[in-house]
Amino acid sequence: MKPLRYAVIGGGINGLAVARQLLLDDPDVRVTVFEKEEAVAQHQSSHNSGVVHAGLYYEPGGLKATLCRRGVELVKRYCEQNALPYDECGKVVVALGEEELPRLDAIYRKALANGVPDVEMIDAARLREIEPNCVGLRALYSPRTAIVSYGQIAQRMAQEIEERGGTIRLNAPVQRVIERGDQVHIELQSGEMHPEAFDSAIACSGLQSDRLAQQSGDAATPRIVPFFGQYYVIDEAYKSHVKGLIYPVPDPRFPFLGVHFTKRIDGQMTIGPNAFISLGRENYHGDRFSLRDIADYLSYPGFWKFASRNVPATLRELKTVVSERIFVREAARYVPALAEVGVTPAVRGIRAQAMESNGRLVDDFVIRQSSRVTHIRNAPSPGATSSLAIGEHIVRNLIRRD
């Protein structure tokens, strides 16, 4: 019997996790990963905060909640098995005003429902014990929230895939996935057809997921709308002012968590990210733009419906984009001693946010399957935390559910 053949499109952390899981579950399968760049993990897998999210915010029972909690377990184990750094530095979600307390309570209830370990609600005195320079009325404390380098994890997974007999084809951007009978064919953007046919394909193409899906016969929506988030590294002399992670209470009307303090696995302390519409899906340095990407969202009715409902949040975020000082002071509401700290621009991430035509941002993960092709259509944060669990879910529950 011929071994099954799988194509995985996308060499980011989710695509690599799927490919690895295929080889783990059946060492005899043949797996080819198609990656458009000259190396794996060149996009969001290496442009993020490195937080291993514990599962505080996500709707109980949804894919995000389920796969995040499973993902934490798998990421921690993977780091231990591969001698990769994993730091349970802990996290506080801080309420500054009375109006935020009901929202904080709601997060606490979700955290308990999701089985987040050791989470607790703390008062101002306990908060100062954990983060001596932080101010707030109350906080939610998650001591098991951790940080890692997802770039290092992805690089190790790529090595493991090749060690297990998989193939990673670099500089191979995929134009579309074609189902013909009981086979799947991969057409590259050059027009070349990959010479080997496959039994199944899994598309994990992140910022390009909607385009590849539509070109391969899937629905046009949800559409990816890119939002960038800028991070800054604070002056090293002040990094000890924050011990772990300090987050604001998120506004449920807006999908982003707000500017916060994040300890990095290299020991540096960052502030960020803000969240604003990006001038390109892959504009990581902020110094160029893509007319195609801009036209895509400006011509999309959903974008304008979303924008009209979020004018106050847009203006707030715009201030942090145009002014570095305002950006810093936004975070310093939680650590006043850092109001004037010097900062250096660091990594910029771009969130591949799926948006419906009615302007609704898709909150949960979206994994859509036809007979032989599976598309990840939405996997923003906690997508990296959940990556190994996403791979497990797709391989064991979807493409091998029989």
Side-chain angles (χ1 to χ4, degrees):
M1 183 177 176
K2 290 177 61 176
L4 291 172
R5 300 154 300 172
Y6 293 94
V8 177
I9 298 94
I13 197 166
N14 284 317
L16 295 171
V18 169
R20 171 182 175 269
Q21 192 67 52
L22 286 165
L23 292 162
L24 278 177
D25 284 8
D26 186 352
D28 293 328
V29 301
R30 294 171 61 181
V31 176
T32 302
V33 178
F34 293 85
E35 167 53 44
K36 69 175 186 172
E37 307 295 353
E38 61 185 16
V40 300
Q42 295 300 293
H43 292 279
Q44 195 59 8
S45 301
S46 56
H47 293 80
N48 58 68
S49 64
V51 175
V52 182
H53 291 282
L56 303 179
Y57 309 106
Y58 317 122
E59 198 62 39
L63 272 182
K64 269 190 179 182
T66 303
L67 297 182
C68 179
R69 287 300 314 142
R70 174 63 174 160
V72 172
E73 175 187 335
L74 294 175
V75 166
K76 183 175 183 180
R77 184 189 308 163
Y78 194 77
C79 289
E80 290 172 347
Q81 291 173 343
N82 291 277
L84 297 172
Y86 186 96
D87 180 4
E88 282 188 351
C89 60
K91 167 178 172 176
V92 288
V93 182
V94 181
L96 295 179
E98 294 283 347
E99 73 282 357
E100 295 178 311
L101 295 179
R103 304 203 311 256
L104 191 65
D105 288 335
I107 295 170
Y108 180 52
R109 290 193 295 271
K110 284 183 178 179
L112 292 177
N114 289 335
V116 177
D118 303 325
V119 67
E120 60 178 312
M121 198 71 85
I122 60 174
D123 60 16
R126 175 75 174 120
L127 173 62
R128 294 298 285 265
E129 291 177 7
I130 297 165
E131 291 286 356
N133 295 296
C134 184
V135 299
L137 294 179
R138 290 172 65 196
L140 182 63
Y141 180 40
S142 173
R144 300 300 173 204
T145 295
I147 52 174
V148 295
S149 168
Y150 287 114
Q152 289 183 32
I153 292 172
Q155 294 290 344
R156 177 64 194 115
M157 279 200 286
Q159 293 174 2
E160 185 183 355
I161 288 164
E162 293 183 324
E163 290 166 0
R164 293 179 181 276
T167 300
I168 298 177
R169 184 174 174 183
L170 302 173
N171 298 304
V174 173
Q175 178 68 20
R176 60 179 177 145
V177 181
I178 305 166
E179 291 187 70
R180 289 179 184 155
D182 60 355
Q183 293 186 331
V184 176
H185 299 267
I186 302 298
E187 179 184 342
L188 302 181
Q189 286 183 9
S190 63
E192 172 195 352
M193 296 295 295
H194 184 73
E196 181 183 30
F198 298 91
D199 296 289
S200 295
I202 306 95
C204 313
S205 44
L207 286 156
Q208 309 297 335
S209 60
D210 58 334
R211 289 172 176 165
L212 179 60
Q214 187 175 3
Q215 286 159 183
S216 302
D218 198 34
T221 57
R223 182 87 61 86
I224 293 296
V225 176
F227 291 85
F228 77 81
Q230 179 67 55
Y231 287 88
Y232 290 89
V233 176
I234 72 171
D235 186 329
E236 187 163 359
Y238 294 88
K239 67 181 183 181
S240 62
H241 278 55
V242 179
K243 307 302 180 185
L245 313 177
I246 300 176
Y247 279 56
V249 179
D251 186 337
R253 298 170 299 176
F254 204 59
F256 310 112
L257 296 178
V259 174
H260 48 266
F261 290 94
T262 305
K263 181 183 177 183
R264 230 165 46 179
I265 199 67
D266 63 4
Q268 297 299 319
M269 183 59 62
T270 66
I271 299 175
N274 50 9
F276 204 74
I277 192 71
S278 178
L279 297 180
R281 295 195 183 195
E282 299 173 7
N283 182 22
Y284 293 109
H285 298 288
D287 57 356
R288 54 193 175 89
F289 61 89
S290 165
L291 290 176
R292 180 191 181 191
D293 294 346
I294 295 170
D296 260 7
Y297 60 72
L298 290 183
S299 63
Y300 186 46
F303 171 73
W304 294 106
K305 292 173 184 177
F306 168 81
S308 67
R309 292 198 294 263
N310 289 279
V311 172
T314 300
L315 294 176
R316 181 191 69 210
E317 295 296 317
L318 179 60
K319 291 177 183 177
T320 68
V321 172
V322 300
S323 171
E324 187 178 284
R325 297 319 310 167
I326 290 175
F327 187 105
V328 171
R329 287 171 183 168
E330 180 72 16
R333 294 189 302 139
Y334 300 87
V335 184
L338 296 179
E340 302 298 330
V341 71
V343 296
T344 304
V347 66
R348 172 185 280 216
I350 300 180
R351 180 186 180 107
Q353 177 62 58
M355 182 183 291
E356 298 286 6
S357 57
N358 63 5
R360 184 181 68 85
L361 297 186
V362 181
D363 183 57
D364 209 351
F365 296 152
V366 176
I367 302 173
R368 191 177 287 164
Q369 186 182 38
S370 64
S371 59
R372 293 184 176 272
V373 180
T374 303
H375 291 277
I376 299 181
R377 294 292 300 256
N378 191 54
S381 182
T385 300
S386 308
S387 57
L388 291 169
I390 288 172
E392 191 178 71
H393 171 70
I394 288 175
V395 171
R396 296 181 178 176
N397 299 334
L398 296 180
I399 63 177
R400 292 190 180 161
R401 58 189 170 189
D402 58 330

